[in-house]
Structure formats: structure tokens, C-alpha cells
Coordinates of all heavy atoms in Angstrom, one line a residue:
R1408 N 121.2 107.0 92.3 CA 120.6 106.1 91.4 C 119.2 106.5 90.9 O 118.4 107.1 91.7 CB 120.5 104.8 92.0 CG 121.8 104.1 92.4 CD 121.6 102.8 93.1 NE 120.9 103.0 94.4 CZ 120.0 102.2 94.9 NH1 119.8 101.1 94.3 NH2 119.3 102.5 96.0
P1409 N 118.8 106.2 89.7 CA 117.5 106.5 89.2 C 116.4 105.8 90.1 O 116.7 104.7 90.7 CB 117.4 105.9 87.8 CG 118.8 105.8 87.4 CD 119.6 105.6 88.6
I1410 N 115.3 106.4 90.2 CA 114.2 105.9 91.0 C 113.8 104.5 90.6 O 113.6 103.6 91.5 CB 113.0 106.8 91.1 CG1 113.3 108.1 91.7 CG2 111.8 106.2 91.7 CD1 112.3 109.2 91.6
Y1411 N 113.7 104.1 89.3 CA 113.4 102.8 88.9 C 114.3 101.8 89.4 O 113.9 100.6 89.8 CB 113.2 102.7 87.4 CG 114.4 102.5 86.5 CD1 114.9 101.3 86.2 CD2 115.1 103.6 86.2 CE1 115.9 101.1 85.5 CE2 116.3 103.5 85.4 CZ 116.7 102.2 85.0 OH 117.8 102.0 84.3
E1412 N 115.6 102.1 89.5 CA 116.7 101.2 90.0 C 116.4 101.0 91.5 O 116.7 99.8 92.0 CB 118.0 101.7 89.7 CG 118.5 101.5 88.3 CD 119.9 102.0 88.0 OE1 120.6 102.3 89.0 OE2 120.3 102.0 86.8
Q1413 N 116.1 102.0 92.2 CA 115.8 101.9 93.6 C 114.7 100.9 93.9 O 114.7 100.1 94.8 CB 115.6 103.2 94.3 CG 116.8 104.1 94.3 CD 116.4 105.5 94.9 OE1 115.8 105.5 96.0 NE2 116.8 106.6 94.3
I1414 N 113.6 101.0 93.0 CA 112.4 100.2 93.1 C 112.9 98.7 92.8 O 112.5 97.8 93.5 CB 111.4 100.7 92.2 CG1 110.8 102.0 92.7 CG2 110.2 99.6 92.1 CD1 109.9 102.8 91.7
M1415 N 113.7 98.6 91.7 CA 114.1 97.2 91.4 C 114.9 96.6 92.6 O 114.7 95.4 92.9 CB 115.0 97.3 90.1 CG 114.3 97.6 88.9 SD 115.5 97.8 87.5 CE 116.3 96.1 87.5
D1416 N 115.8 97.4 93.1 CA 116.6 96.9 94.3 C 115.7 96.5 95.4 O 115.9 95.4 96.1 CB 117.6 97.9 94.7 CG 118.8 98.0 93.8 OD1 118.9 97.2 92.8 OD2 119.6 99.0 93.9
G1417 N 114.7 97.3 95.7 CA 113.8 97.0 96.8 C 113.0 95.7 96.6 O 112.9 94.9 97.5
V1418 N 112.5 95.5 95.3 CA 111.8 94.3 95.0 C 112.7 93.1 95.1 O 112.4 92.0 95.6 CB 111.1 94.4 93.6 CG1 110.5 93.0 93.2 CG2 110.1 95.5 93.6
K1419 N 114.0 93.2 94.5 CA 114.9 92.1 94.5 C 115.2 91.7 96.0 O 115.3 90.5 96.3 CB 116.2 92.5 93.9 CG 116.2 92.6 92.4 CD 117.5 93.0 91.8 CE 117.5 93.3 90.4 NZ 118.8 93.8 89.8
K1420 N 115.4 92.7 96.9 CA 115.7 92.4 98.3 C 114.6 91.6 98.9 O 114.8 90.7 99.7 CB 116.0 93.7 99.0 CG 117.4 94.3 98.8 CD 117.6 95.6 99.5 CE 118.9 96.2 99.1 NZ 119.1 97.5 99.7
Q1421 N 113.4 92.0 98.6 CA 112.2 91.3 99.2 C 112.1 89.9 98.6 O 111.7 89.0 99.4 CB 110.9 92.1 98.9 CG 110.9 93.3 99.7 CD 109.6 94.1 99.4 OE1 108.7 93.7 98.7 NE2 109.4 95.2 100.2
I1422 N 112.5 89.7 97.4 CA 112.4 88.4 96.8 C 113.5 87.5 97.4 O 113.3 86.4 97.8 CB 112.5 88.4 95.3 CG1 111.3 89.1 94.6 CG2 112.7 87.1 94.6 CD1 111.4 89.4 93.2
I1423 N 114.8 88.0 97.4 CA 115.9 87.3 97.9 C 115.7 87.0 99.4 O 116.1 85.9 99.9 CB 117.2 88.0 97.6 CG1 117.4 88.0 96.1 CG2 118.4 87.4 98.3 CD1 118.6 88.9 95.7
G1424 N 115.1 88.0 100.1 CA 115.0 87.8 101.6 C 113.8 86.9 102.0 O 113.5 86.7 103.1
G1425 N 113.0 86.5 101.0 CA 111.9 85.7 101.3 C 110.6 86.4 101.7 O 109.6 85.8 102.1
V1426 N 110.6 87.7 101.6 CA 109.4 88.5 102.0 C 108.4 88.3 100.9 O 107.2 88.2 101.2 CB 109.8 90.0 102.1 CG1 108.6 90.8 102.4 CG2 110.8 90.2 103.2
L1427 N 108.8 88.2 99.7 CA 107.9 87.9 98.6 C 108.2 86.5 98.1 O 109.2 86.1 97.8 CB 108.2 88.9 97.4 CG 107.8 90.3 97.7 CD1 108.2 91.2 96.5 CD2 106.3 90.5 97.9
A1428 N 107.1 85.7 98.1 CA 107.2 84.3 97.7 C 107.0 84.1 96.2 O 106.4 85.0 95.6 CB 106.2 83.4 98.5
K1429 N 107.5 83.0 95.7 CA 107.4 82.6 94.3 C 105.9 82.6 94.0 O 105.1 82.0 94.8 CB 108.0 81.3 94.0 CG 107.9 81.0 92.5 CD 108.8 79.7 92.3 CE 108.6 79.5 90.8 NZ 109.7 78.7 90.2
D1430 N 105.5 83.1 92.9 CA 104.1 83.3 92.3 C 103.2 84.2 93.1 O 102.1 84.3 92.8 CB 103.5 81.8 92.2 CG 104.2 81.0 91.3 OD1 104.7 81.4 90.2 OD2 104.4 79.7 91.6
E1431 N 103.8 85.0 94.0 CA 103.0 86.0 94.7 C 102.8 87.2 93.8 O 103.7 87.6 93.0 CB 103.8 86.4 96.0 CG 103.0 87.4 96.8 CD 103.7 87.7 98.2 OE1 104.5 86.9 98.6 OE2 103.4 88.8 98.7
K1432 N 101.6 87.8 93.9 CA 101.2 88.9 93.0 C 101.9 90.1 93.5 O 101.8 90.4 94.8 CB 99.8 89.1 92.9 CG 99.3 90.1 91.9 CD 97.8 90.1 91.7 CE 97.4 91.0 90.6 NZ 97.9 92.3 90.6
L1433 N 102.6 90.9 92.7 CA 103.1 92.2 93.1 C 101.9 93.3 93.0 O 101.0 93.1 92.2 CB 104.2 92.6 92.1 CG 105.5 91.7 92.2 CD1 106.4 92.2 91.2 CD2 106.1 91.8 93.6
P1434 N 102.1 94.4 93.7 CA 101.1 95.4 93.5 C 101.1 95.9 92.1 O 102.1 95.9 91.4 CB 101.6 96.6 94.4 CG 102.6 96.0 95.3 CD 103.1 94.8 94.6
S1435 N 99.9 96.3 91.6 CA 99.8 96.8 90.3 C 100.6 98.0 90.1 O 101.0 98.7 91.1 CB 98.3 97.1 89.9 OG 97.9 98.3 90.6
V1436 N 100.8 98.4 88.9 CA 101.6 99.6 88.6 C 101.0 100.8 89.3 O 101.7 101.7 89.9 CB 101.8 99.8 87.1 CG1 102.3 101.2 86.8 CG2 102.7 98.7 86.5
R1437 N 99.7 100.9 89.1 CA 99.0 102.1 89.7 C 99.1 102.1 91.2 O 99.2 103.1 91.9 CB 97.5 102.2 89.2 CG 97.4 102.6 87.8 CD 95.9 102.9 87.5 NE 95.8 103.3 86.1 CZ 95.1 102.7 85.2 NH1 94.3 101.6 85.6 NH2 95.0 103.0 84.0
E1438 N 98.8 100.9 91.8 CA 98.9 100.8 93.3 C 100.2 101.2 93.8 O 100.3 102.0 94.8 CB 98.6 99.4 93.7 CG 97.1 98.9 93.5 CD 97.0 97.4 93.8 OE1 98.0 96.7 93.8 OE2 95.8 97.0 93.9
L1439 N 101.3 100.7 93.2 CA 102.6 101.0 93.7 C 103.0 102.5 93.5 O 103.6 103.1 94.3 CB 103.7 100.1 93.1 CG 105.1 100.1 93.7 CD1 105.0 99.9 95.3 CD2 106.0 99.1 93.1
A1440 N 102.6 103.0 92.3 CA 102.8 104.4 92.0 C 102.1 105.3 93.0 O 102.7 106.3 93.5 CB 102.3 104.7 90.6
T1441 N 100.9 104.9 93.4 CA 100.2 105.6 94.4 C 100.8 105.6 95.8 O 101.0 106.6 96.5 CB 98.7 105.2 94.5 OG1 98.1 105.3 93.2 CG2 97.9 106.0 95.6
M1442 N 101.2 104.3 96.2 CA 101.9 104.1 97.5 C 103.1 105.0 97.6 O 103.5 105.5 98.6 CB 102.2 102.7 97.7 CG 101.0 101.8 98.1 SD 101.5 100.2 98.7 CE 101.8 99.4 97.1
L1443 N 103.9 105.0 96.5 CA 105.2 105.7 96.5 C 105.2 107.1 96.0 O 106.2 107.8 96.1 CB 106.3 104.9 95.7 CG 106.5 103.5 96.1 CD1 107.5 102.8 95.1 CD2 107.1 103.4 97.5
T1444 N 103.9 107.5 95.6 CA 103.8 108.9 95.0 C 104.8 109.2 93.9 O 105.5 110.2 94.0 CB 103.7 110.0 96.1 OG1 104.9 110.0 96.8 CG2 102.6 109.8 97.0
I1445 N 104.9 108.3 93.0 CA 105.8 108.5 91.8 C 105.0 108.2 90.5 O 103.9 107.6 90.6 CB 107.1 107.7 91.9 CG1 106.8 106.3 91.9 CG2 107.9 108.2 93.0 CD1 108.0 105.4 92.0
N1446 N 105.6 108.5 89.4 CA 104.9 108.3 88.1 C 104.7 106.8 87.9 O 105.8 106.1 88.0 CB 105.8 109.0 87.0 CG 105.1 109.1 85.7 OD1 104.7 108.1 85.2 ND2 105.2 110.3 85.1
P1447 N 103.6 106.4 87.4 CA 103.5 105.0 87.0 C 104.4 104.5 85.9 O 104.7 103.3 86.0 CB 102.0 105.0 86.5 CG 101.3 106.1 87.1 CD 102.4 107.2 87.2
N1448 N 104.9 105.4 85.1 CA 105.8 104.9 84.1 C 107.2 104.4 84.6 O 107.8 103.5 84.2 CB 106.1 106.1 83.0 CG 104.9 106.4 82.2 OD1 104.1 105.6 81.9 ND2 104.8 107.7 81.8
T1449 N 107.5 105.0 85.8 CA 108.7 104.6 86.5 C 108.5 103.1 87.0 O 109.4 102.4 87.0 CB 109.0 105.6 87.7 OG1 109.1 106.9 87.1 CG2 110.3 105.2 88.4
I1450 N 107.3 102.9 87.6 CA 107.1 101.6 88.1 C 107.1 100.6 87.0 O 107.6 99.5 87.0 CB 105.7 101.5 88.8 CG1 105.6 102.6 89.9 CG2 105.4 100.1 89.3 CD1 106.6 102.4 91.0
S1451 N 106.4 101.0 85.8 CA 106.4 100.1 84.6 C 107.9 99.7 84.2 O 108.1 98.6 83.9 CB 105.7 100.8 83.4 OG 104.3 100.9 83.8
K1452 N 108.7 100.7 84.2 CA 110.1 100.5 83.7 C 110.8 99.5 84.7 O 111.5 98.6 84.3 CB 110.9 101.8 83.6 CG 112.3 101.6 83.1 CD 113.0 102.9 82.9 CE 114.3 102.7 82.3 NZ 115.0 103.9 81.9

């Protein structure tokens, strides 16, 4: 699977699993790109 889909699945799992609460702020595109060492455009997508 493309990397952006893996990121989407990871975020969805955290939302569905209650790890991320409603109205909680996600990491910025730059922050997440730095944490995962991938291109910021992939996070944006």
C-alpha cells in the first residue's frame, strides 16, 4: 500500500480505538513528516 494510505489507516485506527479524541489536534504536517521521516506532501495527502 502507498505510504499515505498506511498513515490514513494508522490515524483511523487511533480515532476508532479512542486513542485520539474528538476535537483533539493532530500533529502538524511538518511534525508528523519529521517523526516518520517522510515527505510532508505525503502527510498532506
Side-chain angles (χ1 to χ4, degrees):
R1408 295 175 303 146
I1410 293 172
Y1411 82 93
E1412 285 183 9
Q1413 294 180 46
I1414 293 166
M1415 288 176 60
D1416 287 347
V1418 172
K1419 286 179 189 179
K1420 285 178 184 174
Q1421 289 183 356
I1422 292 171
I1423 292 168
V1426 175
L1427 294 172
K1429 186 173 177 156
D1430 297 322
E1431 185 174 339
K1432 188 176 186 313
L1433 295 175
S1435 73
V1436 169
R1437 284 191 184 124
E1438 289 171 344
L1439 191 55
T1441 301
M1442 283 190 282
L1443 299 175
T1444 61
I1445 58 175
N1446 191 310
N1448 292 330
T1449 304
I1450 305 297
S1451 292
K1452 183 172 184 174

